[in-house]
Amino acid sequence: MANGKVGAVLVVGGGVAGIQAALDLADSGFKVYMVDESPSIGGVMAQLDKTFPTNDCSMCILAPKLVAAGRHPNISLITNSEVLGLSGEAGNFEVKIRKRSRYINEEKCNGCGLCAQKCPVEAIDTYNKGLTDRSAVYVEFPQAVPLRYKIDREKCIGCKTCQEVCKANAVEYDQKDSEITLKVGAVILAPGFEPFDARLKSEYGYGRYANVVTSIEFERILSASGPYGGIVLRPSDGEIPRKIAFVQCVGSRDAQLGNLYCSAACCMYSIKEAIIAKEHVPTKLDCTIFYMDIRAYGKEFDAYYKRAQEEYGIRFVRSRVASITEDPATGNLFVHYVGEDETPRVEEFDMVVLSTGMQPPKNVEKLAKALGIKLNKYKFCETGAFTPLETSKPGVFVCGAFSSPKDIPESVAQASGAAAKAMAIIAPERGKLVAVKEYPPERDVSQEEPRIGVFICHCGINIGGIVRVPEVVEYAKTLPNVVYAEDNLYTCSDDTQKRIREKIKEYNLNRVVVASCTPRTHEPLFRETVREAGLNPYLFEMANIRDQCSWVHMHEPDAATEKAKDLVRSVVAKARLLKPLKNPTVNVTPAALVIGGGVAGMTAALELANQGFEVHLVEREKELGGHLRKIYYLLEGEDPQDHLQKLVKAVMENRLIHVYLGAEVVEVSGFVGNFKSKIRLNNGEEKQVEHGVVIVATGAVEYKPKEYLYGVDPRVLTQHELEEKIAKGRFNARKVVMIQCVGARNEERPNCARICCGQAIKNALKIKELDPDAEVYILYKDVRSYGFKEEYYREAANKGVIFINYSDDRKPKVSNEGGKLKVSFYEPVLKQEIQIQPDIVVLSAATIPNPDNKRIAEMLKVPLTKDGFFLEAHMKLRPVDFQTDGVFLCGMAHSPKYIDESIAQACAAAARAATILSKKVLEMEGIVAKVDEDLCSGCKICESLCPYGAIEMLEKEGKTVAHVIEALCKGCGVCGTACPTKAIVLGHFTTEEILAQVRAIMREMEVAAK
Amino acid sequence: MSETQKDFEPKIVGFLCNWCAYAGADLAGVSRIQYPPNIRVIRVMCSGRIDPAFILEALKNGADGVLVAGCHLPSDCHYLSGNFKALRRVMLLKKVLKDFGIEPERVRLEWVSASEGDKFAAVVRDMVEQIKKLGPNPLKMEAKK
Amino acid sequence: MAKQKLKFAFYWAASCGGCEIAVLDINEKILDVVQVADIVFWPVAMDIKYKDVENMPDKYIDVCFFNGGIRNSEQEHMAKLLRQKSKILVAYGACAHLGGVPGLANLHNKKEIFEKVYVQTFSTHNPNGVFPQPKVQVKEGVLEIPEFYDTVRTLDQTVEVDYYVPGCPPAVERTVFALEAIAKGELPPKGSVLAPLKSVCDECAKKKENKKISRIYRVYEKTPDPERCLLEQGIICMGPATRGGCGARCLKADMPCTGCGGPCPNAPEQGAAMISALASILGLEEEKEKYTEEEVEKLIDQIKDPVGTFYMYGLPASILRRKVMRS
């Protein structure tokens, strides 16, 4: 703490954003305290069934992150707690936290769940949104992290049953709340959002009609782990619905409620819920979505929307629902709305789902006060267009839905971005507060016969109550090479770890088997234990006799015991063959190559330089700035040119950033940590640079329209051209027609270009500002002014900008009649063709991929979407990563986006890059594929298969052989399984090991052959 | 036949991927969903690691059924597309098994997500029922001859 | 120094006879063989009776080259006898090694085969349904012919085998290699296959680019680019899963490898190895290989006669060995 700074960060909120920020910080050498009000982390995402637009199972993709956060040595989880106050300044804060009592000792509880099983109380299950019950002592959901129970004292009747059954003596009825004080260098706020309370929209009958549910409740209904096991049923009578209505904008875009903003994610999640519902309901199901505008503005969203219509036959009705009434006899619901023909209609449904919007989190004012940050008028966190991650207080950053409603990938990108901001403040303190563990030297067991120790867990009575554990112990002793076996009350407890280490010494064990619960949560713990005893961590194997025996065969103790023996035998057979594995390491060159010098590239470069890393910034044009050079004003009022100048100055003056203008990256070789690239400079010379990461920020370009007389008649402009005209004082038209979706949402480019609606509104407002009497018409398909941009849409409408909807089958026509521009279009309310003679026609031309993307993608071996934008590793949770390690993306290279979004992504890319650059040496997972070159015949099958590009073909002594780049291998084993000569072996899952397991399982009794 | 159809308890070997199917089996456990004790699980990291030879070896050693379970198509696979490899390998193997006179139904490929504990249990239940109808693995009967 | 000459034997069990010719294919090298060895038993070339073999002392023969699988009682008897009389027993050729093409009979049993051969074939007139019987009582006494088995076995499923020379028939260089190793007394450890460790691909000169295919062609359906790997052109070539040592001679004639060299040392189930490899790359051509299950079924259905393709030579040596018959 030489400069008084603290190398720790407080993250408030344990949803997906908070978790991402915490992991990025912890992975790059900072201590993280993560505070969450709930007893476990996960946030809203843990309640979702699937995620759009890939229909990934939400829990499947979230759970690994929960586990990673839960067991990360640099992350301390402080759950069931709240922040009381913050003092000090950026770099050195003191934060006060209240830990509310769980009435269960967190240190002692091992999450076995017996207490909840025996608890006689039925309480409301908030995870399932009150659709089912739980006990008074509970975890929120089975995958909860930390898996520590809590007593709901409001419901608890004090019978003390839990105290009696708890073998770990963890129940403490008299536990008190406590306060702690922590020192941190920065704070990241990720408290998320609160779903709108649908009761406030009383005309929709939520809370009165059983079959009107909110979208989060419906997520639970869809989920296999939900109240009805994934079968879609009506709450009133448990019948399968045949007709479901989805009502959009409940609590959003609503002047009456004062919620003028759009909640940004509801259109997409409703489409998703409708699709999944149709997949889950075996009989015919009609889904109707009542909407105002379908805001499918994100990457690949429109393609999803289109599938919903065409493949799934989901009906979309453009109308604001007026009210809902119930038929008390059937529980069916009448949806009252005004049809597209302006006539009132009533339609009957079995069930209605209200697409509730996002509200600021509960107790937000208290939190804002405790931290000293400003909120905006909707009580979301106040941020700026160029500072999307910064609160009003220096050193306190924000991410996720707390700064504005947003969906998961944007929250995740912001989270990484906020992490970068925090890292920059405390960069010199990196690595100072994180513990480095020392292990004893590893014992060489290669010459030893296998000597296996088997530890079998009772898990309180979770296993021992069903499986006859002592019998399994005796059985284990008869297995070949088993020299020691014992049973434990809790094999995972601290004292058992000590015992395992002692037994390894005492019996000179060189393999350890634990039969207990699932390796998915406990394998890392036991690997650690054997490592502490001087064994290679991979000389360990687990049998899952709880989740696969005692818990699922509760009424068959004999069968469960026999099965446990089989599983132990199988795992012992594998253990016999286990080999030590080395974690491959690669050295890291602490420098970055950033391709593209627009706002994203410059921001990413600066963020990395602020953390002390060298950056090579390559821009094809002769000056920095990219797209931002063409932007003269913003909806929100800030000055983009001013920001651009400051940014360019900061970049040019930073001695860690090497800027190459008029230059091009022509070759990239190597892999994470060790890239070598060639840059062709503006003088034609080539320069080679070495770097550890690559950030792709190549931006995008404006589509040059071929339609609507563009390029033929000079009075037809694009929005950018109009903006330039206005900014340079050359605008003088009095009648303007704007046409949206030019070059987007069509056959060639099915997706939305996201920013054109905002651009059109921005320019329309500017025109109205210059001349309030000017006539401005905007012909649109959907107005996609999501989030707080909705306000400006409203403002434009209030100021007399006329918005007219058009559909694909009736596109507007632009013609030149006798020298006059003429626009004709169909007016859906008046139901007639209208003709206007505007002074100019402005086309909202799509933002399309940089034509250079293809070359760069091939050079970096990273994929593109069908549209030609770069395709990230995972649409939901890895928005700025590529599947190839060490390569990241940000800005419009990813997809069209607003400046604040590009900046957030750029910061995110910097944070993700810092997780690599901050390490001298990268240590990889030991389970990787290896090629036996004596057997490899160079057929190249593996090379074609590896999704990570981890296999390269090398020439050795005139022969071609495959080689695994260990740094890129993820250990899936696809290559070795396909390898026709089995020259490729996947460590820890070798063919011999798996076949030994198969044979051992099928052998009725193995004769002791000691 | 030494084992009559009635008291025949099939033995099933299950190859489960770590990220989805094994997690689904864990959830069945955590949720205490009961299913018949006939399956023995072998964990692999990805369904793309499951070699047709493993399945043949299980059958040869007398398994009455083999379950291969991985992440849902098309995009749940933790390793992007290992599940597609598993799909094609198992489908081709089943075609071969038919020629070997072994009922392809003995080998079952399922997609089970981490949140589908009930589905995992249902698959096991259903598989046990189905294999009881098929009777014991004919290779086992042959070996006894 | 007058070294004592080695004693060689050759025998032909369930096989086509090609292996016998293969011995002669070594041309003038046969003279070298005769320099170092005497042939004491070779039914196809010399008139020596089984009785004479039975009368030899145990381990009298130094090396016995045994070709053909075991599918009747006579072959089993001779396998056991020659094992007893030989110091070294070599499974010579694909049939002794793996069962070979005759091993495909394991998709049927004796009953089916007899029905086919003695009743159903067009040229057969057998109204009384007469089938060969191992023992028949005639006036002169009991006539015996060997008993036909349900299942073809490899030589090593019958007796212990010391070395294997793969191929259908073994390539000249394999035979020469074996003979030279024997002559020089430089044999590898017992149980070895006398061939290189790598697959046919290692010896195949065709250019390999990438193994992404979606359409399968049978040999007659396509004239392949002779320069490029046939598998990459959609022609199923067993080369990747087949042990080399043949010089990729079929590939030199632009015909795909059918697998006679048997499995590679680490992948003893040759069929499964190829099933896994082929299924892995089939359909990779399309973007991200995201086919529906129905589409995958169509892809797979392009593979005709999978057992004949993947187990042309190795059915009896495979994990399952034969078809399960229900009768």
Side-chain angles (χ1 to χ4, degrees):
Chain A
M1 245 198 276
N3 46 7
K5 288 188 175 171
V6 185
V9 178
L10 173 75
V11 175
V12 181
V16 65
I19 291 171
Q20 183 62 47
L23 286 172
D24 284 336
L25 287 161
D27 283 340
S28 53
F30 298 101
K31 173 77 193 170
V32 177
Y33 302 101
M34 185 149 85
V35 175
D36 197 297
E37 300 225 341
S38 318
S40 51
I41 59 173
V44 175
M45 192 176 167
Q47 291 180 310
L48 304 183
D49 177 44
K50 299 275 162 49
T51 58
F52 61 82
T54 51
N55 287 356
D56 276 338
C57 153
S58 187
M59 189 51 95
C60 300
I61 56 179
L62 179 66
K65 293 224 179 215
L66 295 180
V67 174
R71 68 168 184 238
H72 202 296
N74 299 348
I75 301 178
S76 297
L77 298 183
I78 308 172
T79 48
N80 209 33
S81 301
E82 62 183 321
V83 176
L84 297 178
L86 182 75
S87 58
E89 54 182 20
N92 194 352
F93 288 114
E94 208 171 84
V95 57
K96 212 180 258 175
I97 291 163
R98 177 186 293 130
K99 288 183 76 163
R100 287 195 297 270
S101 173
R102 282 175 185 269
Y103 309 101
I104 286 191
N105 185 320
E106 266 184 77
E107 308 288 312
K108 289 184 184 166
C109 172
N110 46 42
C112 81
L114 197 60
C115 49
Q117 226 179 314
K118 301 289 178 193
C119 175
V121 176
E122 286 189 351
I124 291 165
D125 182 347
T126 45
Y127 177 63
N128 276 326
K129 285 279 150 190
L131 294 164
T132 46
D133 294 331
R134 58 155 167 78
S135 52
V137 44
Y138 70 106
V139 285
E140 290 187 289
F141 50 97
Q143 299 90 340
V145 171
L147 191 60
R148 299 287 179 266
Y149 279 74
K150 178 186 170 178
I151 298 177
D152 181 348
R153 286 302 285 266
E154 281 182 18
K155 301 286 175 194
C156 173
I157 52 171
C159 68
K160 303 214 164 177
T161 306
C162 49
Q163 199 165 39
E164 279 161 32
V165 298
C166 181
K167 301 270 183 202
N169 296 321
V171 179
E172 296 173 356
Y173 282 107
D174 48 3
Q175 205 180 68
K176 297 271 182 299
D177 290 2
S178 59
E179 274 184 24
I180 54 171
T181 306
L182 298 169
K183 280 190 172 300
V184 295
V187 178
I188 291 177
L189 302 180
F193 68 92
E194 185 68 24
F196 172 74
D197 181 359
R199 262 175 282 260
L200 299 178
K201 202 77 186 143
S202 61
E203 61 269 40
Y204 291 164
Y206 176 77
R208 297 200 307 279
Y209 311 144
N211 295 328
V212 176
V213 300
T214 67
S215 42
I216 300 241
E217 286 168 358
F218 197 63
E219 289 281 346
R220 297 311 307 147
I221 290 175
L222 290 173
S223 173
S225 61
Y228 313 135
I231 302 165
V232 179
L233 301 175
R234 309 208 298 178
S236 71
D237 51 10
E239 288 291 317
I240 295 174
R242 277 160 314 195
K243 219 175 152 201
I244 302 180
F246 293 80
V247 178
Q248 296 307 106
C249 301
V250 179
S252 318
R253 301 181 71 183
D254 192 326
Q256 254 175 327
L257 294 166
N259 287 357
L260 294 180
Y261 59 86
C262 155
S263 288
C266 327
C267 284
M268 287 306 291
Y269 76 58
S270 295
I271 295 174
K272 171 198 73 183
E273 288 179 1
I275 287 177
I276 305 297
K278 282 187 81 98
E279 284 180 353
H280 282 207
V281 171
T283 47
K284 196 178 170 301
L285 172 68
D286 289 330
C287 288
T288 305
I289 297 183
F290 292 93
Y291 72 100
M292 300 207 288
D293 296 280
I294 286 294
R295 294 195 163 158
Y297 54 86
K299 194 171 184 175
E300 309 273 307
F301 287 5
D302 257 321
Y304 191 72
Y305 172 32
K306 208 166 168 203
R307 270 179 60 210
Q309 292 168 289
E310 290 169 6
E311 242 174 75
Y312 290 90
I314 289 161
R315 185 173 142 232
F316 287 82
V317 177
R318 189 188 286 271
S319 174
R320 171 74 117 171
V321 168
S323 64
I324 295 167
T325 51
E326 187 194 44
D327 177 350
T330 60
N332 285 358
L333 302 155
F334 299 104
V335 172
H336 303 258
Y337 67 101
V338 176
E340 281 175 66
D341 54 0
E342 299 289 307
T343 52
R345 288 168 188 272
V346 182
E347 201 174 325
E348 189 172 350
F349 289 91
D350 298 336
M351 205 171 164
V352 173
V353 180
L354 302 181
S355 297
T356 47
M358 298 187 199
Q359 303 256 73
K362 261 190 289 188
N363 305 328
V364 65
E365 282 163 309
K366 207 168 131 199
L367 179 72
K369 206 170 152 215
L371 296 166
I373 57 157
K374 278 192 199 139
L375 301 177
N376 70 11
K377 65 177 159 188
Y378 303 114
K379 300 199 175 71
F380 284 91
C381 185
E382 191 175 285
T383 58
F386 302 113
T387 52
L389 307 169
E390 284 151 52
T391 68
S392 56
K393 190 179 178 98
V396 180
F397 304 100
V398 60
C399 59
F402 181 38
S403 58
S404 68
K406 57 178 66 69
D407 66 358
I408 293 168
E410 279 164 48
S411 296
V412 171
Q414 283 203 332
S416 292
K421 289 282 176 194
M423 287 176 201
I425 290 185
I426 49 172
E429 301 304 306
R430 198 188 289 279
K432 293 202 182 152
L433 287 181
V434 296
V436 183
K437 203 164 169 177
E438 296 281 335
Y439 295 94
E442 196 175 299
R443 208 172 101 201
D444 176 14
V445 302
S446 58
Q447 303 306 312
E448 299 173 13
E449 270 287 294
R451 293 178 62 80
I452 304 173
V454 182
F455 298 83
I456 303 179
C457 182
H458 285 268
C459 194
I461 61 165
N462 276 302
I463 296 171
I466 312 288
V467 171
R468 294 186 296 272
V469 172
E471 189 180 319
V472 182
V473 170
E474 287 314 306
Y475 175 74
K477 287 179 183 166
T478 67
L479 296 171
N481 299 100
V482 171
V483 295
Y484 182 74
E486 68 167 37
D487 50 344
N488 316 109
L489 185 57
Y490 291 108
T491 307
C492 62
S493 69
D494 256 352
D495 55 317
T496 310
Q497 302 321 297
K498 196 167 150 242
R499 213 178 142 75
I500 293 174
R501 290 194 294 266
E502 284 165 9
K503 295 297 168 194
I504 291 173
K505 296 248 148 59
E506 189 181 339
Y507 287 88
N508 200 26
L509 304 177
N510 53 25
R511 308 282 191 285
V512 173
V513 165
V514 167
S516 60
C517 53
T518 173
R520 289 175 55 253
T521 54
H522 281 65
E523 194 175 56
L525 168 75
F526 295 120
R527 278 191 182 160
E528 186 75 10
T529 301
V530 302
R531 198 173 170 194
E532 284 161 2
L535 286 181
N536 182 282
Y538 295 96
L539 297 174
F540 170 78
E541 193 56 44
M542 264 180 107
N544 187 347
I545 62 168
R546 188 183 72 183
D547 306 70
Q548 289 174 17
C549 282
S550 61
W551 275 354
V552 290
H553 313 311
M554 297 177 85
H555 315 296
E556 297 164 277
D558 290 339
T561 303
E562 285 314 306
K563 184 173 173 181
K565 289 181 191 171
D566 285 356
L567 292 176
V568 168
R569 186 172 67 236
S570 156
V571 161
V572 165
K574 178 176 178 181
R576 212 173 288 143
L577 300 170
L578 289 175
K579 293 216 162 52
L581 298 179
K582 283 267 164 292
N583 295 78
T585 55
V586 286
N587 293 323
V588 178
T589 311
L593 172 70
V594 177
I595 308 176
V599 65
M602 285 192 288
T603 305
L606 265 180
E607 285 300 325
L608 284 171
N610 287 344
Q611 293 189 45
F613 301 115
E614 197 178 353
V615 181
H616 302 279
L617 177 63
V618 181
E619 167 57 48
R620 215 171 32 162
E621 303 289 324
K622 297 214 161 45
E623 57 182 313
L624 292 170
H627 222 83
L628 186 55
R629 283 192 286 145
K630 293 187 207 152
I631 298 174
Y632 298 94
Y633 46 88
L634 295 183
L635 266 178
E636 293 83 358
E638 284 122 314
D639 179 356
Q641 290 302 316
D642 176 58
H643 179 72
L644 174 62
Q645 277 162 26
K646 285 181 185 152
L647 201 56
V648 171
K649 188 164 181 276
V651 168
M652 297 308 286
E653 285 176 358
N654 195 306
R655 58 184 180 80
L656 287 173
I657 304 177
H658 312 280
V659 179
Y660 307 88
L661 293 175
E664 230 174 10
V665 179
V666 290
E667 193 187 303
V668 177
S669 62
F671 47 84
V672 57
N674 296 278
F675 290 103
K676 275 195 182 73
S677 300
K678 279 194 190 131
I679 301 171
R680 188 182 297 133
L681 305 174
N682 58 359
N683 60 8
E685 280 173 27
E686 279 188 5
K687 179 185 163 119
Q688 180 165 308
V689 292
E690 293 187 8
H691 50 102
V693 297
V694 183
I695 293 179
V696 178
T698 48
V701 297
E702 191 184 51
Y703 169 65
K704 287 284 158 243
K706 295 181 194 76
E707 47 271 79
Y708 300 123
L709 296 184
Y710 181 83
V712 177
D713 192 311
R715 291 166 295 180
V716 181
L717 317 171
T718 65
Q719 292 286 1
H720 274 309
E721 289 160 357
L722 171 67
E723 185 168 338
E724 193 179 340
K725 248 187 197 303
I726 295 174
K728 299 199 169 153
R730 296 203 301 263
F731 175 80
N732 54 8
R734 306 228 46 210
K735 201 182 228 183
V736 180
V737 173
M738 296 182 179
I739 302 174
Q740 299 303 104
C741 299
V742 178
R745 300 183 70 186
N746 57 17
E747 284 297 318
E748 194 193 349
R749 275 180 291 274
N751 287 301
C752 168
R754 187 176 185 126
I755 52 178
C756 338
C757 283
Q759 266 180 323
I761 292 169
K762 176 178 83 171
N763 286 340
L765 280 171
K766 205 75 186 176
I767 292 170
K768 283 285 189 186
E769 187 187 311
L770 295 173
D771 176 5
D773 296 329
E775 283 178 56
V776 184
Y777 299 86
I778 299 182
L779 308 182
Y780 71 97
K781 283 158 86 166
D782 292 278
V783 177
R784 291 182 167 172
S785 49
Y786 57 92
F788 297 139
K789 297 223 160 43
E790 176 69 11
E791 268 186 53
Y792 302 100
Y793 172 29
R794 184 171 290 267
E795 186 188 330
N798 287 344
K799 286 191 172 157
V801 176
I802 297 164
F803 290 85
I804 297 161
N805 181 245
Y806 77 87
S807 61
D808 273 333
D809 45 347
R810 280 188 146 143
K811 282 190 177 161
K813 289 186 191 72
V814 179
S815 55
N816 179 335
E817 284 184 13
K820 294 209 154 162
L821 266 182
K822 198 179 91 182
V823 180
S824 49
F825 54 87
Y826 177 77
E827 215 296 333
V829 180
L830 302 173
K831 291 198 201 62
Q832 58 180 356
E833 285 289 332
I834 294 208
Q835 297 183 343
I836 299 180
Q837 293 190 334
D839 300 326
I840 57 169
V841 170
V842 185
L843 305 181
S844 288
T847 305
I848 61 171
N850 191 327
D852 207 22
N853 283 2
K854 199 161 180 292
R855 183 187 69 87
I856 292 168
E858 278 166 14
M859 187 170 70
L860 292 169
K861 298 188 198 76
V862 296
L864 296 176
T865 64
K866 271 195 204 120
D867 302 4
F869 289 103
F870 283 95
L871 179 62
E872 62 273 34
H874 191 277
M875 285 231 176
K876 226 55 191 174
L877 292 187
R878 298 180 65 192
V880 302
D881 298 8
F882 278 112
Q883 203 62 57
T884 310
D885 281 345
V887 188
F888 305 93
L889 78 163
C890 59
M892 300 227 279
H894 166 277
S895 68
K897 52 180 61 65
Y898 290 108
I899 294 169
D900 57 329
E901 296 165 335
S902 278
I903 291 174
Q905 273 202 341
C907 295
R912 302 290 302 139
T915 61
I916 293 167
L917 297 179
S918 61
K919 297 185 178 77
K920 283 199 175 67
V921 172
L922 280 181
E923 186 167 300
M924 307 292 179
E925 169 59 51
I927 298 175
V928 290
K930 262 199 163 60
V931 179
D932 181 342
E933 290 179 1
D934 290 339
L935 295 174
C936 174
S937 312
C939 75
K940 286 185 150 187
I941 284 178
C942 51
E943 191 200 23
S944 305
L945 288 174
C946 179
Y948 305 100
I951 295 184
E952 57 184 353
M953 303 304 295
L954 300 180
E955 294 296 320
K956 284 204 175 168
E957 293 154 20
K959 298 275 189 187
T960 306
V961 287
H963 175 254
V964 175
I965 304 166
E966 288 183 336
L968 298 181
C969 176
K970 302 271 182 261
C972 65
V974 159
C975 56
T977 308
C979 175
T981 65
K982 306 294 171 211
I984 303 184
V985 176
L986 176 67
H988 211 67
F989 292 91
T990 68
T991 298
E992 288 70 32
E993 286 165 1
I994 296 172
L995 288 179
Q997 276 193 280
V998 171
R999 292 184 194 119
I1001 281 178
M1002 295 314 301
R1003 206 157 301 147
E1004 300 300 325
M1005 265 295 269
E1006 201 162 3
V1007 185
K1010 292 195 228 185
Chain B
M1 243 186 239
S2 60
E3 282 176 293
T4 61
Q5 214 83 335
K6 234 186 185 168
D7 53 37
F8 162 55
E9 281 299 337
K11 223 169 176 186
I12 298 168
V13 175
F15 295 99
L16 271 52
C17 87
N18 180 64
W19 302 97
C20 295
Y22 197 96
D26 279 351
L27 184 61
V30 174
S31 317
R32 316 295 202 275
I33 302 169
Q34 303 297 298
Y35 57 82
N38 304 59
I39 189 166
R40 305 289 181 268
V41 167
I42 293 175
R43 182 173 73 120
V44 288
M45 293 313 281
C46 177
S47 56
R49 174 66 190 103
I50 300 161
D51 196 313
F54 301 166
I55 299 168
L56 292 172
E57 190 72 27
L59 291 169
K60 183 199 161 181
N61 281 276
D64 300 298
V66 178
L67 172 66
V68 171
C71 306
H72 277 275
L73 303 177
S75 53
D76 275 13
C77 177
H78 189 80
Y79 305 99
L80 301 177
S81 55
N83 49 358
F84 278 91
K85 315 285 186 293
L87 168 67
R88 299 198 295 270
R89 288 171 187 154
V90 170
M91 273 172 110
L92 179 52
L93 181 75
K94 285 174 88 154
K95 194 170 161 167
V96 172
L97 282 179
K98 216 165 144 192
D99 291 350
F100 272 103
I102 292 172
E103 305 89 338
E105 301 82 50
R106 291 190 187 276
V107 178
R108 189 152 162 172
L109 181 64
E110 289 284 349
W111 313 122
V112 178
S113 83
S115 61
E116 291 177 328
D118 56 340
K119 179 169 180 191
F120 179 77
V123 164
V124 176
R125 237 176 271 135
D126 190 62
M127 213 176 155
V128 170
E129 275 314 299
Q130 196 185 14
I131 290 173
K132 276 191 177 170
K133 279 188 202 130
L134 284 176
N137 175 352
L139 292 165
K140 202 159 52 178
M141 308 313 290
E142 203 133 280
K144 280 186 188 164
K145 262 190 224 166
Chain C
M1 214 168 71
K3 211 171 137 191
Q4 210 182 349
K5 276 176 116 179
L6 294 166
K7 294 183 202 67
F8 280 9
F10 295 93
Y11 187 72
W12 169 358
S15 60
C16 67
C19 288
E20 306 278 342
I21 312 296
V23 175
L24 300 177
D25 279 346
I26 64 174
N27 297 332
E28 70 282 359
K29 286 246 164 61
I30 194 87
L31 298 173
D32 300 341
V33 174
V34 183
Q35 289 283 314
V36 298
D38 286 328
I39 297 167
V40 296
F41 178 59
W42 194 0
V44 78
M46 299 158 61
D47 184 14
I48 298 170
K49 306 292 186 212
Y50 289 176
K51 269 257 147 41
D52 302 326
V53 180
E54 278 159 22
N55 287 333
M56 291 174 188
D58 285 358
K59 308 287 173 202
Y60 173 78
I61 301 166
D62 288 296
V63 184
C64 172
F65 293 88
F66 192 108
N67 74 73
I70 309 299
R71 77 178 318 178
N72 68 30
S73 55
E74 180 191 11
Q75 291 154 355
E76 182 174 0
H77 169 72
M78 286 309 292
K80 286 179 174 159
L81 181 64
L82 287 166
R83 170 71 278 183
Q84 189 188 335
K85 303 298 176 189
S86 308
K87 291 197 184 89
I88 293 172
L89 179 63
V90 178
Y92 184 77
C95 296
H97 178 200
L98 310 164
V101 171
L104 286 172
N106 284 359
L107 292 174
H108 310 275
N109 56 9
K110 174 178 161 183
K111 189 166 160 247
E112 276 186 17
I113 292 168
F114 277 20
E115 282 286 324
K116 185 84 182 176
V117 173
Y118 297 106
V119 180
Q120 292 165 355
T121 39
F122 281 122
S123 55
T124 303
H125 182 68
N126 183 3
N128 299 331
V130 178
F131 293 110
Q133 301 296 319
K135 279 184 188 166
V136 177
Q137 182 75 45
V138 291
K139 265 201 318 262
E140 293 82 359
V142 178
L143 277 181
E144 283 188 44
I145 58 167
E147 190 187 341
F148 190 90
Y149 294 156
D150 271 328
T151 300
V152 179
R153 280 175 289 154
T154 65
L155 182 59
D156 68 2
Q157 286 164 2
T158 313
V159 295
E160 204 183 320
V161 170
D162 300 311
Y163 295 99
Y164 303 84
V165 177
C168 179
V172 172
E173 57 265 44
R174 295 279 51 83
T175 307
V176 170
F177 177 87
L179 291 173
E180 283 180 352
I182 292 163
K184 291 181 189 156
E186 289 172 359
L187 280 162
K190 240 176 100 163
S192 295
V193 177
L194 303 179
L197 297 173
K198 296 201 179 195
S199 78
V200 174
C201 294
D202 183 58
E203 297 167 353
C204 173
K206 293 192 189 297
K207 214 164 75 205
K208 297 163 192 96
E209 287 165 15
N210 75 72
K211 296 256 174 326
K212 297 183 176 186
I213 53 173
S214 56
R215 169 81 207 269
I216 296 217
Y217 299 89
R218 306 188 82 180
V219 174
Y220 64 85
E221 289 177 316
K222 185 177 188 174
T223 311
D225 169 2
E227 300 299 315
R228 193 175 172 203
C229 166
L230 297 183
L231 186 55
E232 291 176 8
Q233 300 181 65
I235 296 171
I236 298 179
C237 173
M238 285 289 287
T242 301
R243 195 158 178 159
C246 56
R249 54 187 170 172
C250 298
L251 279 309
K252 280 181 185 150
D254 295 335
M255 288 301 281
C257 169
T258 52
C260 74
C264 294
N266 251 18
E269 231 293 350
Q270 188 183 9
M274 196 60 200
I275 287 168
S276 190
L278 181 63
S280 301
I281 57 171
L282 184 58
L284 269 190
E285 207 169 56
E286 303 291 320
E287 188 195 342
K288 287 198 87 193
E289 63 179 300
K290 306 280 159 131
Y291 289 92
T292 62
E293 298 195 24
E294 293 73 41
E295 288 163 339
V296 170
E297 205 154 339
K298 277 194 200 132
L299 278 177
I300 300 289
D301 269 346
Q302 298 181 87
I303 302 168
K304 307 296 174 203
D305 184 21
V307 174
T309 305
F310 303 121
Y311 295 93
M312 185 182 284
Y313 303 91
L315 185 55
S318 69
I319 290 178
L320 297 182
R321 295 192 182 184
R322 61 156 303 119
K323 182 178 178 178
V324 177
M325 306 302 292
R326 278 156 224 270
S327 49

